[in-house]
Amino acid sequence: MSRKRVLITGAAGFLGSHLCDRFIKEDFHVIAMDNLITGDLRNIEHLFQLENFEFHNHDVSKFVHVSGELDYILHFASPASPIDYLKIPIQTLKVGSLGIHNLLGLARVKKARILIASTSEVYGDPTVNPQPEEYWGNVNPVGPRGVYDEAKRFQEAMTMAYHTFHGLETRIVRIFNTYGPRMRLNDGRVLPAFIGQALRGEDLTVFGDGSQTRSFCYVDDLVEGIYRLLFSDYTQPVNIGNPDEITIKEFGEEIIKLTGTKQKLVFKPLPTDDPKQRRPDISKAKAILGWEPKVGRAEGLKITYEYFKSLPEKEIQHKDFSYYNKK
Ligand code: UDP
């Protein structure tokens, strides 16, 4: 039997590259696509020698052509950290709107099932905690996060419309904070920021008073949840994340312990519209997919720390937090 064929957009990014690994492991033919604005070919270079892997350097905001059959599409192309979408707001909006339109069109032509990466950011700065899928959110459309939040909300609406109007097979995953190897050390996210600072012997910068919460999911757990969702028959959005909630201050203290750094926490102004709390309600994922996270923070952080430590010294020393420093 010939291999099933899957197109993965954002394939050279953090999540995209782990998805490529998973689908290769499951013996799919993987068509990887990325325009490398925030992605890095090093994340997938180990796959280039495989006959069931191909890479296309392409911006999915422009017409997407894939020759041959396609069974599945996973749309993971998007800047995905606050610092990225502040630097490239227009691309962020385009990939979530023009990009998804192109991919839904492609899915229709190819009669492929499409799964889109949505986000806990559709809930904005939530007024209910934990967030169930039924919560409609509290989003500021014109704030700094608006370009990402609204693109992702539009993406969900567009995907649903193709599902109901064209009968397209669609799946929507709402991804909560996820971490693991291949995150970018300088993407501004709290985990690489703290670990990078510890490795450089700098103090760890906590924004605000650190009482805001997040819930961190290890990447392997996330990939398992996405894999199960794709092959389920559930078409409404599903939260995938780890409900183990922690304040950013406590998280900083955990990183200090993990890395053994002599540095301390220092407090900086809280960026505009920074959500005060975030924790997924994963009852749906449990009931529908039989999924729940397996990797605890202690274990996941250890693996991730080892990864960051193994990066070339030049890379560890290179930092670009210009946006936050200007504030
Ligand atoms: N944060 C922090 N120090 C940093 C980077 C981020 O205290 O150096 C905070 C940020 O303000 C937010 C939380 O950590 O409250 C998570 O930020 P991240 O950018 O990782 O993702 P978010 O969940 O906000 O999209």
Side-chain angles (χ1 to χ4, degrees):
M1 219 179 69
S2 64
R3 288 185 172 110
K4 293 281 185 197
R5 290 161 59 85
V6 59
L7 168 67
I8 301 178
T9 75
F14 166 45
L15 297 181
S17 66
H18 284 281
L19 285 164
C20 288
D21 284 341
R22 176 63 188 262
F23 280 86
I24 287 289
K25 201 171 133 213
E26 303 286 349
D27 203 28
F28 279 73
H29 182 91
V30 173
I31 301 158
M33 198 171 272
D34 205 300
N35 66 354
L36 304 178
I37 287 193
T38 58
D40 189 335
L41 278 184
R42 285 179 305 175
N43 291 335
I44 46 173
E45 67 186 359
H46 58 288
L47 302 174
F48 274 70
Q49 83 232 21
L50 302 175
E51 46 134 359
N52 56 328
F53 181 83
E54 54 186 281
F55 175 74
H56 300 264
N57 185 337
H58 181 70
D59 177 356
V60 298
S61 303
K62 306 205 173 84
F63 184 85
V64 182
H65 172 74
V66 172
S67 46
E69 288 176 13
L70 212 47
D71 301 288
Y72 302 100
I73 298 174
L74 301 181
H75 182 36
F76 278 71
S78 176
S81 85
I83 217 163
D84 286 341
Y85 40 81
L86 285 164
K87 276 187 190 159
I88 40 175
I90 313 293
Q91 281 99 326
T92 305
L93 280 160
K94 281 169 77 177
V95 74
S97 52
L98 308 179
I100 191 62
H101 192 208
N102 290 332
L103 293 165
L104 288 164
L106 180 68
R108 255 190 98 199
V109 169
K110 301 285 184 184
K111 297 186 176 40
R113 179 180 297 181
I114 181 166
L115 180 148
I116 64 148
S118 189
T119 164
S120 55
E121 283 285 326
V122 299
Y123 303 124
D125 187 1
T127 54
V128 300
N129 200 43
Q131 296 83 54
E133 288 84 349
E134 291 75 20
Y135 179 55
W136 290 352
N138 178 36
V139 172
N140 175 5
V142 293
R145 288 176 183 248
V147 294
Y148 184 66
D149 301 8
E150 295 296 356
K152 291 290 186 181
R153 288 171 69 98
F154 175 85
Q155 190 175 282
E156 287 198 11
M158 190 77 161
T159 301
M160 262 306 154
Y162 266 71
H163 175 66
T164 48
F165 190 72
H166 290 306
L168 194 71
E169 286 232 45
T170 57
R171 305 289 182 267
I172 300 173
V173 58
R174 290 189 181 148
I175 299 169
F176 284 66
N177 294 66
T178 301
Y179 69 97
R182 303 185 192 154
M183 286 186 102
R184 266 163 46 226
L185 196 52
N186 65 350
D187 80 354
R189 286 184 165 280
V190 66
L191 183 142
F194 283 173
I195 292 186
Q197 287 161 339
L199 287 173
R200 291 189 297 271
E202 299 166 358
D203 288 335
L204 277 58
T205 53
V206 172
F207 297 157
D209 63 3
S211 63
Q212 71 273 32
T213 67
R214 294 294 185 272
S215 311
F216 298 96
C217 183
Y218 187 65
V219 64
D220 288 358
D221 282 333
L222 185 94
V223 166
E224 179 62 28
I226 290 168
Y227 194 81
R228 289 188 191 200
L229 177 62
L230 179 67
F231 296 108
S232 77
D233 55 11
Y234 193 72
T235 55
Q236 292 295 311
V238 178
N239 289 339
I240 299 285
N242 190 322
D244 187 3
E245 187 178 8
I246 183 172
T247 68
I248 293 302
K249 184 162 174 273
E250 284 165 339
F251 188 61
E253 282 155 3
E254 276 191 8
I255 300 290
I256 288 179
K257 226 175 176 180
L258 169 79
T259 57
T261 176
K262 299 274 173 294
Q263 307 304 126
K264 56 182 191 316
L265 301 180
V266 292
F267 295 84
K268 298 257 165 124
L270 191 67
T272 311
D273 295 344
D274 198 289
K276 283 180 275 306
Q277 51 186 1
R278 185 181 290 149
R279 175 186 181 194
D281 179 334
I282 58 165
S283 329
K284 279 214 167 58
K286 272 187 186 161
I288 297 163
L289 312 175
W291 176 89
E292 63 183 326
K294 299 253 179 302
V295 183
R297 224 175 24 249
E299 187 186 346
L301 284 182
K302 230 173 129 215
I303 302 167
T304 310
Y305 178 48
E306 290 306 319
Y307 166 77
F308 282 127
K309 256 201 323 199
S310 74
L311 292 175
E313 189 56 27
K314 209 170 126 214
E315 214 165 306
I316 292 172
Q317 294 305 329
H318 174 83
K319 49 182 176 161
D320 178 10
F321 297 112
S322 45
Y323 172 77
Y324 288 115
N325 289 340
K326 257 186 238 141
K327 280 185 72 109

